[in-house]
Amino acid sequence: MDGSPSAPGGVSGPGRVAGPEEGISAEELALAARNHGLPLEALRYDVTPPGLHYVLVHYDIPATDPDGWRLTVGGRVLRPLALDLDALRARSSVTRRVTLECAGNGRARLTPRPVSQPWLVEAVGTADWTGVPLAALLAEAGTAEDAVEAVFTGADHGVERGVEQDYRRSLPLRVAADPARDVLVAYAMNGEPLPPQHGSPLRLVVPGWYGMAHVKWLHDITVTATPYTGFQQSVAYRIRTAAEGDDPGAPVTLIAPRALMIPPGFPDFMSRARVVRPGPVPLAGRAWSGHGPVARVEIGESDGDGGTAWTDAVLDRDPAHPWAWSSWHATWTATPGHHRLTVRATDAEGHVQPLAAPWNRGGFANNLVQRVEVFCAPEGPEGPGGAEAAKGPEASENP
């Protein structure tokens, strides 16, 4: 249900952008505490452990009972289906390694800042998802000649911008019913049943698409003869480049290319600024795109005059996992002082990460390059922590 047009009790105001001097609100802080990103050092894992994989939950994590769960497939189909988990597991299954990224990743770095979940760059993760191909389920049900979309309904329920609703999204049949797209009705993550925050007991996995398409706690698929126009499809997740007005915007779909660097060296506790020693410093990270394989990763170092010197990193693509991120590595020679490192990706379709943020009202698909501030400290007690370490452990402020 997409519910009433006005929220109960007057809650849930319209979307907006922050004022020029407006900091992160208590509401945004609460969202950031509920939802978490990938610690960037966890980019070292080919497959992200479930507890480190990014999480975005629109409403509450619903209470779900796997024993009584049913997935229904209906609407414009010839043979409606009602399947429990045993029936799904009895069907042919596949496992696909897929990188998921939240559509709002990078939102907090925009100016003016759209007020919502304040992601920086960490809203990403990669998992091995196991389930039944959606194309096989739709073929089993048989779609009518006039069918155009499949609508997916999750069990999470809430209010957003005045609309009470179940979380619901659609895909065109050309995506949903295409075996080559590898869309899954998944019941396992990294070989184990889905954790509650990742959609237990069933979720949709749509390789190459931003996370809003991967409906969690999935319980119904309805095939329709008309495009779905519910809130999450026609109001949310649209690229609107004007700060105000009724521009319907373009839909958010495929993931834009992005490269991330594992922060080198070690961090300052509060600022997370990186500290390294002089000499060769290994750099590594991941890169991905929903438009096709990553073709190039470049490392840039600011030259102090506003320019950047770029060098190519070594890219390691695994053709066995076309929907997953690729690893890259390089070596940087650090010299004492402050440095700014930048990393950017280019995909096989020619899409390149921008050096300036592409602003839009919802803060979606901001794939601005990652910039990492690094301080190269000299060896010895004069380096960061050297004098503090000499005072002994009683000087530490750690709890």
Side-chain angles (χ1 to χ4, degrees):
M1 55 192 239
D2 284 315
S4 64
S6 60
V11 300
S12 188
R16 67 183 186 88
V17 297
E21 303 299 325
E22 182 179 351
I24 297 290
S25 66
E27 290 82 2
E28 289 174 291
L29 182 59
L31 285 176
R34 283 185 55 83
N35 303 303
H36 69 80
L38 173 81
L40 291 185
E41 61 270 27
L43 289 166
R44 68 172 68 100
Y45 301 113
D46 290 338
V47 175
T48 308
L52 299 180
H53 195 290
Y54 96 92
V55 170
L56 178 72
V57 177
H58 274 247
Y59 311 126
D60 285 350
I61 298 172
T64 59
D65 178 9
D67 291 337
W69 199 260
R70 295 291 186 276
L71 174 68
T72 54
V73 183
R76 301 298 298 151
V77 298
L78 307 180
R79 297 171 294 276
L81 304 176
L83 307 171
D84 62 15
L85 293 184
D86 287 340
L88 281 168
R89 293 192 185 103
R91 285 163 166 75
S92 296
S93 67
V94 298
T95 298
R96 296 289 181 262
R97 185 167 298 176
V98 179
T99 296
L100 270 64
E101 182 178 8
C102 183
N105 202 15
R107 174 184 290 125
R109 296 188 180 277
L110 293 176
T111 303
R113 186 186 84 261
V115 176
S116 186
Q117 165 68 32
W119 291 124
L120 296 171
V121 296
E122 301 92 346
V124 66
T126 295
D128 286 336
W129 304 97
T130 300
V132 178
L134 176 62
L137 289 177
L138 292 175
E140 184 178 344
T143 55
E145 289 185 2
D146 61 353
V148 296
E149 285 194 352
V151 181
F152 308 91
T153 302
D156 44 334
H157 182 86
V159 178
E160 203 162 346
R161 298 194 214 169
V163 179
E164 183 180 352
Q165 59 190 283
D166 295 333
Y167 189 85
R168 181 179 284 127
R169 288 275 310 183
S170 72
L171 289 173
L173 277 185
R174 59 179 171 78
V175 175
D178 181 359
R181 291 294 312 176
D182 279 333
V183 182
L184 294 183
V185 174
Y187 48 75
M189 178 184 190
N190 295 352
E192 299 291 338
L194 296 176
Q197 73 273 27
H198 289 293
S200 173
L202 287 179
R203 71 171 298 164
L204 198 67
V205 174
V206 188
W209 284 55
Y210 278 111
M212 77 283 153
H214 303 239
V215 177
K216 291 181 282 190
W217 310 290
L218 178 67
H219 67 85
D220 180 75
I221 302 171
T222 299
V223 177
T224 63
T226 57
Y228 175 62
T229 58
F231 178 88
Q232 300 294 342
Q233 204 83 22
S234 60
V235 179
Y237 297 107
R238 312 286 296 190
I239 302 290
R240 298 178 174 93
T241 56
E244 298 179 352
D246 297 327
D247 173 20
V252 178
T253 56
L254 297 177
I255 298 172
R258 188 188 296 275
L260 288 180
M261 179 187 300
I262 299 170
F266 54 91
D268 172 74
F269 171 70
M270 280 298 298
S271 70
R272 311 307 295 177
R274 309 306 299 186
V275 181
V276 300
R277 299 300 185 194
V281 175
L283 303 178
R286 304 284 174 172
W288 63 93
S289 174
H291 294 269
V294 172
R296 186 181 192 188
V297 172
E298 298 169 278
I299 306 298
E301 182 178 3
S302 299
D303 61 12
D305 295 321
T308 301
W310 296 95
T311 58
D312 284 335
V314 177
L315 183 62
D316 300 310
R317 287 201 303 259
D318 186 349
H321 302 295
W323 303 112
W325 54 24
S326 296
S327 63
W328 60 265
H329 65 275
T331 299
W332 170 61
T333 301
T335 57
H338 291 273
H339 303 269
R340 171 180 284 183
L341 301 180
T342 303
V343 59
R344 69 179 176 188
T346 302
D347 67 29
E349 297 294 319
H351 304 101
V352 185
Q353 278 188 265
L355 300 180
W359 191 89
N360 64 85
R361 195 190 310 176
F364 298 124
N366 173 24
N367 65 329
L368 175 71
V369 293
Q370 179 194 19
R371 296 184 171 100
V372 181
E373 301 295 331
V374 180
F375 174 65
C376 178
E379 297 285 357
E382 69 272 18
E388 192 68 25
K391 298 177 184 178
E394 66 276 7
S396 174
E397 295 183 2
N398 289 338

